[in-house]
Structures are given as C-alpha cells and as structure tokens.
Amino acid sequence: MSINSVDVLVVGAGPAGLSAAIELSKRGATTMLIDEQAQPGGQIYRGVELCGESDRKLFGYGYVRGRKIIEDFRQSPIDYKTRTVLVSIESNHVADIFENGVLKRVQAGAIIIATGAYERPVPIKGWTLPGVMTIGAAQIAAKQASVIPSGRTVIVGNGALLWLLAWQYRNFGASIDAIIDLGGRKQISKLLRDFWGFAASSYFLDGAKYYALSRVSTRVITARDQVEILGDTRVEGVVVMQKNGKYQKFAADTVLLHDGILPNTNLLGAIGCEMLWSLSQCSWRPKVNIWQETSVSGVFAAGDNAGIDGAIAAEYSGRIAALDALRQLQILTSQERDTLAQPWIRQRSRARWGRNFIDAYFSPSNTVKTASDATIVCRCEAITHESVSAHIQQEPRRLAHLKSMTRCGMGPCQGRMCSPSVAALTAQISDVHPYQVGPPSHRFPVSPLPLAALAKFDVGLSQDAGKLHE
Amino acid sequence: MSNTNYDVIVVGGGLHGCSAALHLAMQRARVLVIDKDFSGQHASGVNAGGVRRLGRDTRELALADASLKLWNSISELVDDDCGFSVNGHMKVAETEFELEALKKRVAELKTMGYHHEVIVDRSELRQIVPEVARHCVGGLFVAGDGAAMPYQTTQAFRQKAERLGVVFKEGVQVVGIAKNKKTWRVTTNDSNEASAPTIVNCAGAWAGEICGLLGEFAPVEQVAPMLMITAAMDHFVSPVVSAAGRTLSFKQFENGTVLIGGGLTGYVDKARNRAELNFSKLAINARTALDLFPIMEQSKIVRSWAGIEARMPDDIPVMGASSTNEGVFHSFGYSLHGFQLGPISGQIIAEAVCKGNTSVDISPFSINRFVDQAR
Amino acid sequence: MVMKNDTGTTATFKRFSPCNNTVTIFVNGREIVASGRDTVATCLLVAGELAFQYNKASGEPRGPYCMMGVCFECLVTIDGVPDLQACLVPVEPGMRIETQKGVLQGRDT
C-alpha cells in the first residue's frame, strides 16, 4: 500500500478547520481536510449549504456567515474527505485515517486539529431516557433537516446557547412549554468587571435580544435545587424540586438539556498534548502558543478545541495556525508569517471580547454535584452517581485511577460524557480543585474502529511479522 | 529536608513493589515505597491480566506454582478478590506441525514432573473454545490457569500494605543512593531523604537506572507491549486463548468486551514518559484475532494502549540479592509475563530480606548471570 | 400536543419547512419517505423512533443525545452493519435501518 503524503492534514471542517485549509491551499501547501460529517460546516454551520435561504435566516446572522466560508472552501484545491475519522497519530506526523471502511496512512508535514467543542454533560436523573437530548442536538436537527419537536417541550439548563435556541424555536414556530433555568443567582459584583468588554462585543446586541425575547415569551422557572426527568422507557415529564419543599411538575415529550460547552480534546489528549485547566471555563484545554501550536511540535489546535472562543475567533485561529504551519514547511519565512499574521492576531483578540462575561454569567451548574444517587454519571457503562461517589470516598485520587476502578470513560464515548462530571464530583467530595484531579486519559482510536478494517491495514510490514515460527 | 528511617525502602510501586512491601510488612518491617509516577500507572496497571502457567519458561514453573496457590486464596492475602477467576488458558495449534511442537513440550514437562499442560485434540478444542476457527487442529490447555484485573490487583496489594503500615510516596523520583556505614540513604527529587539498611529494587522498566545508581549492571530493555479492547459482544469464549505459531493473547471479560494483545510492541517515548502505539503492528494482532475467531468479523476496537515494561535479554526476571551491594535486593525484569508471579515475588523477596534463604529456588534469576556482560 | 405522522405512529418530532427532495428508506421494515437532507438520526426521529438501541451494560433504552458524533447513544444497524452512529450517516435511497432491540446476552458482573 502506498502512503499518501501531504503538507498539512487538517482535522475538522468547522470554521477553524475550513479557514486553515483555505489559507494553506491559497499559499500552495498540499492540504488534506478530513471530517466526520458528510457536509462541511462543523456544528455551528451544520447543513448551511443545503438549507434554503429563507430558512437560513431563521437561525440568525451567526449561521448565515458560514455560507461564505464554505463557498471559499469549495473553490480551494483541498483534498476534502468527508465521513472520515482520524484513528491515530504516531510520531513525525504519521496519521492513520479511516475512510469508506478502509484504514489508510497519511504522512503529513504538520497537523492542524480543529475538532471544535461539545456540550458539557448534564447528569440529572432520567437524562438517559429516549426523548432527552441536548440543546445543541436540537439545533443540529433543525439545521440538518428542519427537524423540531412537535410535542410538549421543556428546556432544562444554563448557558448562552439555550437562549439562542429559544429564540430560534420562536422563529420556526416550535413551542417551548417551559425553560427551567439552572443558572442560579448571578453575582452582579463579579460580573461587572467583565461587563464592558461584553457590551463592546458583537455578542451584546444579539445576545441581549435572544435573552430578553425568550424570557418574556416563555415560561421561565429558576430552579433552586434538584431537577429530575420523569419517565419509564421514554420522557414523560420534568419535576423541579424547590428548597421550600414544593414540587413543580411539567409533562413533556421532549426535554432539551444544556450546561455550556467544552473543548473536544480527546484527539489532542490521545496524541499526548499537554493540557491546562481553564479557570474561567472550568474545562481542560491544550497548552498552545500564539500560533496555536501544542506542546507536540507541528501539531496545532485551532478553534474551540483550544478553548471556547466562538466561531469568529476560530476562523482567525485557524488562519494563524496555517501561517505557522506554512513557516514550518518553509513556504513562508518567519517575517512573511509575522506580517500576514499581525492583523489576524488582533482580530482574534477582538473576537474574544465579551467571552469572560459570558463565561462568568453562565458559569457551569455542574448538575452532578446535586444529582441523586441513582443518577447515571457514565452513560456508556451505566454507572451511577452512588457508585462513583463510593469509589471517590474510598480513595479520592486522580481521574485515571477512577477510570480504572469504576470503568467511567472506558465505553465507546471514551469519557466525553462522564469525565467532566467525575472530575467535578471528585473535586467536591475530596475538597480539592478540579485541576488536581488531572485531565482524563484518552486513547486511540478516538472513535471505535472495526477490527476487520484494522486487520486489512497494511503499510508494507511483512504479513509474517506476527509469526513466531512455522 | 527530612530524614526518615525505615527497615526497607522499596523503589517502584508496581505490583512487584507493592507485593514486596506487603510481605515485608507482614514480617513487621517498617517499609517505604517510592514511585516516580503513581502505583500501577505503567505495566502493572495496564497489562492483560493473565494468571498463566501455560507455556511458561520451565525455570519459572516452581515459582508460578507457588504463586498460583496464593492466587487461589488471594482474598485472604489482600482482602480483595482482585477480579481473579479460573477459566483456563488454551494455546491453539493451527497446523499439525504446531501441534507436534506442543506435544514435545508436554513430554519435556513430564520428565520434569509437571503435568498441568494437557494436549487437546480438534474436538476437545471445540468443546472448550466453540468459536475457534475450523482450521485449528488442537491445542494445549491448562484448566487451572485464569485471569485477574491488573489495576484492581495492584491497588489491592497497595491498600493492604498501607493498612499494615507501609508508607507510599508517589510522584517523586529516586535520584541518589549512597551508603553510610550499614545504612542506605535514598535521595529523591523533592529534596527529601530516607534511610534504611535494605533497599529493594522493583523499578520495572526503570530498574536498570536504579542499578546504575548502585553501580551495578543490568541489561534492562524498555518495551511497550500493546493491547486493544472491543465493544461488548455476546459471551462466546471463557478461557484465555493464545496461539502456538503467532503472537496473540485473547480474552473475553465478563462484561462482554474482548481484550486482544500478546506482546507486539509500540514505542517507548522516554522523554514524555509514555508509550506510543504502532497501528501497523496492531493490524497484525487484528488479523490473528480474526483468523482464529471469525465471530469477530463485526467487532469494533474501542480503545488501545501500551504500558512500559522491562524485558531482559533471556526473558526471565532478575530476583534476589545484588551482586555488588550488601543490603540490596532485586525484583524486576519480568519480561511481559510478570503479573502471575506478583503475589509470590513479594513473598520470596521478604524471605530473602528477613531470613536470607527462600522457599523456592531463585538461583536461575540471579543478577550474577549478567556479570560477564558488565565488563 | 403529540401528532400522528403519515404512518400512524406517534412522532414527537416534525419539520418546520417542507422537504424539497425526498428519498425512500426502510425503518424496521417500514417504508419511510425521508428528506434528502436527513441523517439517519433526524429521519428516525420524525418517523417516531425515540429508542434507537438498548444499553449494553444496563439494558435500558437509549436514543440520540448529542446528534454530533460524541455520545454513541444513537447506534443502529444500517444495511446489516450494527452499531453505526445514526447521527453521522446521511440517508440514501433504499437504505435499510433497524433499531437495535437486542439486549446483550453476556453474563452479568
């Protein structure tokens, strides 16, 4: 089998990956972009190419913007592989990719990883019932195929995306029976410090509009304590338990959850990139330099997987990573890179305005801390809050230890759905800071790989290399 | 700067270090265990968990028999079942030629007085391993072998040792060892010191470096055997299965996941203290698993990993007293098959330290065998 | 209010905008007209399927949670291949999709 060689391999077709690939190909680097999805755009611009113009506007300006990037991308000479996942990266930027049922090897000069973000898990009792999904999932269904709930819908959560979806659902004519706000009481004095950056940012006017409109047009209940989802084999309702002992019950066919978003760092972790704890965002992110390069030389993290900064910052961080990759490939000199990068570095900072306020205003509720014993923490292995807590109490230690002892993180999702909760719970029970619990240990393959495909993988090693004797 | 006195300092908190510490504490020794990472982070915590005598080097069989006795009552030793279960080990022969070689092995063992390995024919093989590929002609079976959970086991030994007063210091590295009269002074990279008349080197893949600090030579190679695990499947195989002619270790857990390994190695990244995978070699493992178990056709690999281990040039461990330093004992270099020996290795070391003689002959494992190479 | 869709099953999802092009697929043997923009997950939701699979450890029913490929809850069998993530697969004409009702027959631990 021949090994495919490219200058740069870009992973992820969201704003960061697309922008990076456009920039790379514009300057003559051979570029391969691989993405899990069938269409470009990532989650934020999901389905924007196929979505009709009038529908597109219903999602707001932040969605429409994606069309222009994808048009540029489509006109660029990029080897774009859809429905393709990165299986592993070995040293010297050797990447094994899984495309169309076949495992292939790619030798890259540099790798830009732009795997974006996903939503922080919201472990409350009943969150595994069919009919419960995330706010982001609801948005994706709407963007992908104009799909919205038709029954009684209750939103439970906290975070900016929640209010955006509520506004979008108004535009689609989808009804929301109630929003149960887990955001809790805001500390005005703490927020004030960051407010002016927010007021000057692009988020301010739109954000305020979504928030205000949704709050007046929908029933909003501020939850002061536990929330549980009711149902046996599917969602039947939501119950809010107040501190004063009163219960409030809502019948529901669909429940949408949210508690902010997290960098999707599984791939970066498996490569061995050094991780840092972000105090303001309560999540792990890779340590990157000004060029978005990680602690592993020639491996870049661009966009939200390097810290949640939003789609516009992601575009600039993708382009900036591309420039340094071009410098490493000796397509650009350091001076050329610096000159080109200067305005983008400014724009990247500008796009981050307001982020601190949003992070502080919507600081995560971490529902796991108040969840009841029977609440499932690890969805893949169906491990309960009670069982995880027992292990932590027995010996409060790092996340890697808890993974081995509880199996949290050993299922197909590899901890994406449980490690933030296990870390928060450990921090709470052992009274330590979450960063002391350590980052989750990620392994290749980052997505499950058919054994049969691996068996057919052949990069020229002798067929008999596994034979001891005959 | 603190200086604390112990009877024994164990370097390395893997299974062998924890076992040595536990058995020493059972003899009322005051023990300190120092681990540069954390207990069970490397080979001890991430190995395949085979509790196997099948196919073992004949020089290790007496030790393995004694260890199995401890495994069979492991709860009495460490108050934890370690996930140990006895479902047998089967080595599959794919050709008549391979089966002949296995028969020779059985005959050789008989002359030494060992009868645990039994030849099974084609139909017996299928009774014990119903899903094995049709071309397989027979195998070698040990009914009394089994498997345990490696991380759980290491933790159980560690926790029992701690209950008996053993002190664990994790995340600190031994950077200096010096002798002052009859006492060893061990310096760690957090600027602390501890002293004891006896040191036990259980540093696994890093044992060669500890030997280096003591001015003794041991040809320890650092290797990274790889493992991969599938998503859960319907239960189809009970014993651990290996192959006579190929590298394979194949085991289905109670929860339905299947572990595939056998010793193909990835890379050791010393600078970053981690093991890296080699997917082109994992592919060989995948082919072998599919060749022997067609039922795996639609299975999916969920995770793969490698742990850093010590391998000696002759594939047997180093156990016993140092050749150069009084008061130093070694227990390392288990060469990818040390898990089964974990319970006994600590007992033997405790005997060597406390009594000066051991209940099982460990002369084949003496570090003296490398003395010529050191020159 | 829960609405009945054209096949008579109870669906809790609908479309806010009509489909421009459609494809015909089969869900548990039932013929379904899907949107050409659908993933297997979106079309199953509109077709009234909420439980896509049963969890292998607990046997509980599970359905799509993240819709973006990270939760592994929307596993279905497509054209005979089990455990595929429905949210990542676009519908194709004639595709045969089965939700995974079988509980693993492994031994409990």
Side-chain angles (χ1 to χ4, degrees), chain B residues 51-212:
Chain B
V51 176
R52 167 180 69 82
R53 289 169 299 159
L54 172 64
R56 207 169 258 282
D57 191 302
T58 50
R59 289 167 291 184
E60 291 178 350
L61 281 175
L63 212 53
D65 274 346
S67 208
L68 186 66
K69 286 202 183 82
L70 296 178
W71 276 111
N72 282 327
S73 55
I74 198 75
S75 299
E76 285 166 36
L77 184 62
V78 294
D79 311 331
D80 187 310
D81 67 9
C82 298
F84 176 61
S85 60
V86 177
N87 289 304
H89 273 237
M90 176 72 81
K91 181 173 279 189
V92 172
E94 294 178 79
T95 62
E96 291 297 340
F97 181 85
E98 287 176 1
L99 192 59
E100 280 312 307
L102 296 180
K103 285 176 181 166
K104 269 186 207 139
R105 155 102 181 163
V106 171
E108 186 200 342
L109 287 179
K110 269 189 186 143
T111 64
M112 302 172 72
Y114 292 109
H115 303 276
H116 57 284
E117 294 188 6
V118 177
I119 291 288
V120 295
D121 64 17
R122 194 183 273 271
S123 71
E124 287 165 326
L125 172 65
R126 261 159 206 75
Q127 271 169 21
I128 302 167
V129 187
E131 292 294 340
V132 76
R134 299 179 64 88
H135 73 273
C136 298
V137 296
L140 191 54
F141 188 59
V142 178
D145 280 355
M149 303 299 279
Y151 192 82
Q152 183 187 341
T153 303
T154 308
Q155 293 309 306
F157 273 81
R158 173 214 164 103
Q159 283 166 8
K160 183 65 189 278
E162 280 182 314
R163 284 195 292 278
L164 297 184
V166 174
V167 177
F168 277 79
K169 275 181 81 174
E170 292 174 293
V172 296
Q173 192 173 351
V174 172
V175 291
I177 303 177
K179 196 161 197 182
N180 183 5
K181 291 177 190 162
K182 291 217 145 192
T183 304
W184 290 102
R185 228 176 52 224
V186 174
T187 315
T188 45
N189 63 348
D190 59 346
S191 304
N192 275 318
E193 278 186 8
S195 51
T198 305
I199 290 177
V200 179
N201 176 11
C202 296
W206 295 269
E209 284 152 34
I210 299 300
C211 285

Side-chain angles (χ1 to χ4, degrees), chain A residues 106-125:
Chain A
V106 179
Q107 171 69 62
I111 299 173
I112 297 177
I113 295 172
T115 46
Y118 72 101
E119 289 166 277
R120 185 184 297 275
V122 193
I124 57 179
K125 189 148 185 284

Side-chain angles (χ1 to χ4, degrees), chain A residues 178-297:
Chain A
I179 295 177
I180 298 168
D181 184 1
L182 298 176
R185 210 185 287 274
K186 312 292 180 195
Q187 283 183 287
I188 302 296
S189 59
K190 277 193 180 170
L191 290 170
L192 216 52
R193 191 188 52 198
D194 294 315
F195 178 73
W196 308 112
F198 175 67
S201 76
S202 56
Y203 298 112
F204 179 62
L205 281 178
D206 285 346
K209 180 175 78 185
Y210 303 149
Y211 191 54
L213 274 175
S214 308
R215 276 204 98 99
V216 296
S217 62
T218 316
R219 186 164 176 207
V220 180
I221 293 104
T222 302
R224 298 262 179 257
D225 207 345
Q226 275 183 32
V227 177
E228 291 189 356
I229 300 170
L230 308 170
D232 185 16
T233 56
R234 58 185 284 177
V235 169
E236 285 161 21
V238 177
V239 60
V240 188
M241 278 157 276
Q242 309 280 21
K243 275 247 161 67
N244 61 13
K246 279 192 186 159
Y247 287 71
Q248 211 168 351
K249 216 165 140 181
F250 301 88
D253 302 297
T254 304
V255 173
L256 304 178
L257 302 176
H258 189 64
D259 193 18
I261 62 177
L262 298 162
N264 189 0
T265 58
N266 279 47
L267 180 51
L268 294 158
I271 294 168
C273 299
E274 201 180 315
M275 293 288 166
L276 299 174
W277 176 261
S278 163
L279 274 176
S280 57
Q281 299 189 339
C282 298
S283 56
W284 292 98
R285 59 166 69 167
K287 180 183 171 185
V288 293
N289 65 16
I290 188 174
W291 307 107
Q292 307 286 143
E293 190 179 16
T294 67
S295 64
V296 179
S297 167

Side-chain angles (χ1 to χ4, degrees), chain B residues 228-252:
Chain B
M228 52 188 165
I229 196 155
T230 69
M233 302 171 66
D234 284 345
H235 190 82
F236 68 90
V237 60
S238 295
V240 179
V241 177
S242 58
R246 307 200 241 184
T247 304
L248 181 72
S249 164
F250 186 95
K251 174 174 72 171
Q252 186 172 31

Side-chain angles (χ1 to χ4, degrees), chain A residues 204-441:
Chain A
F204 179 62
L205 281 178
D206 285 346
K209 180 175 78 185
Y210 303 149
Y211 191 54
L213 274 175
S214 308
R215 276 204 98 99
V216 296
S217 62
T218 316
R219 186 164 176 207
V220 180
I221 293 104
T222 302
R224 298 262 179 257
D225 207 345
Q226 275 183 32
V227 177
E228 291 189 356
I229 300 170
L230 308 170
D232 185 16
T233 56
R234 58 185 284 177
V235 169
E236 285 161 21
V238 177
V239 60
V240 188
M241 278 157 276
Q242 309 280 21
K243 275 247 161 67
N244 61 13
K246 279 192 186 159
Y247 287 71
Q248 211 168 351
K249 216 165 140 181
F250 301 88
D253 302 297
T254 304
V255 173
L256 304 178
L257 302 176
H258 189 64
D259 193 18
I261 62 177
L262 298 162
N264 189 0
T265 58
N266 279 47
L267 180 51
L268 294 158
I271 294 168
C273 299
E274 201 180 315
M275 293 288 166
L276 299 174
W277 176 261
S278 163
L279 274 176
S280 57
Q281 299 189 339
C282 298
S283 56
W284 292 98
R285 59 166 69 167
K287 180 183 171 185
V288 293
N289 65 16
I290 188 174
W291 307 107
Q292 307 286 143
E293 190 179 16
T294 67
S295 64
V296 179
S297 167
V299 174
F300 297 80
D304 273 359
N305 68 0
I308 307 301
D309 284 322
I312 296 171
E315 283 177 32
Y316 291 109
S317 75
R319 289 190 203 172
I320 291 164
L323 289 181
D324 194 52
L326 290 162
R327 199 254 330 156
Q328 292 191 7
L329 294 162
Q330 298 180 331
I331 293 171
L332 293 179
T333 66
S334 298
Q335 207 167 8
E336 287 166 335
R337 174 200 66 183
D338 292 354
T339 311
L340 287 166
Q342 221 172 31
W344 294 343
I345 290 175
R346 254 198 322 273
Q347 297 275 28
R348 185 179 60 185
S349 307
R350 177 76 178 78
R352 286 170 176 165
W353 286 10
R355 188 53 57 180
N356 286 349
F357 178 82
I358 295 170
D359 290 342
Y361 192 85
F362 296 114
S363 71
S365 334
N366 273 325
T367 56
V368 72
K369 293 182 179 176
T370 51
S372 57
D373 282 355
T375 304
I376 284 173
V377 171
C378 166
R379 297 176 68 107
C380 295
E381 301 285 320
I383 300 162
T384 61
H385 184 281
E386 185 178 25
S387 156
V388 177
S389 301
H391 275 285
I392 297 169
Q393 269 149 3
Q394 196 187 4
E395 203 174 350
R397 279 208 275 153
R398 70 203 79 210
L399 208 53
H401 166 87
L402 288 165
K403 178 180 173 182
S404 297
M405 295 306 282
T406 62
R407 293 194 59 77
C408 283
M410 289 195 174
C413 95
Q414 280 221 42
R416 291 167 178 95
M417 288 294 123
C418 68
S419 63
S421 314
V422 177
L425 200 56
T426 309
Q428 184 194 28
I429 293 174
S430 343
D431 197 23
V432 295
H433 199 279
Y435 76 79
Q436 291 172 290
V437 182
S441 58

Side-chain angles (χ1 to χ4, degrees), chain A residues 87-91 96 103 105 269-273 296 381 394-395 397-398 400-401 403-405 407 409-412 414 443-445 447-452 454-459 461-463 465-470, chain B residues 37-39 45-46 94-95 97-98 101 151-152 155 158-159 162 170 228 231 243-247 255 257 260 264 267 272 274 276-284 286-287 289-290 296-297 299-306:
Chain A
V87 168
S88 92
I89 292 178
E90 289 173 20
S91 29
D96 297 332
L103 190 60
R105 180 156 283 192
I271 294 168
C273 299
V296 179
E381 301 285 320
Q394 196 187 4
E395 203 174 350
R397 279 208 275 153
R398 70 203 79 210
H401 166 87
K403 178 180 173 182
S404 297
M405 295 306 282
R407 293 194 59 77
M410 289 195 174
Q414 280 221 42
R443 313 283 202 187
F444 293 124
S447 289
L449 174 71
L451 183 78
L454 180 57
K456 289 192 192 94
F457 186 48
D458 179 14
V459 288
L461 276 180
S462 158
Q463 290 283 345
K467 295 256 177 189
L468 294 176
H469 56 82
E470 189 60 72
Chain B
D37 295 306
F38 64 87
S39 175
V46 300
E94 294 178 79
T95 62
F97 181 85
E98 287 176 1
Y151 192 82
Q152 183 187 341
Q155 293 309 306
R158 173 214 164 103
Q159 283 166 8
E162 280 182 314
E170 292 174 293
M228 52 188 165
R246 307 200 241 184
T247 304
N255 68 4
T257 60
I260 302 168
L264 292 175
Y267 315 99
R272 290 197 294 160
R274 46 183 267 140
E276 281 202 20
L277 299 163
N278 178 338
F279 265 75
S280 46
K281 277 209 221 163
L282 278 178
I284 297 167
R287 278 197 284 280
L290 263 181
M296 300 295 286
E297 184 60 38
S299 67
K300 280 189 175 157
I301 301 300
V302 171
R303 270 174 300 128
S304 53
W305 66 91

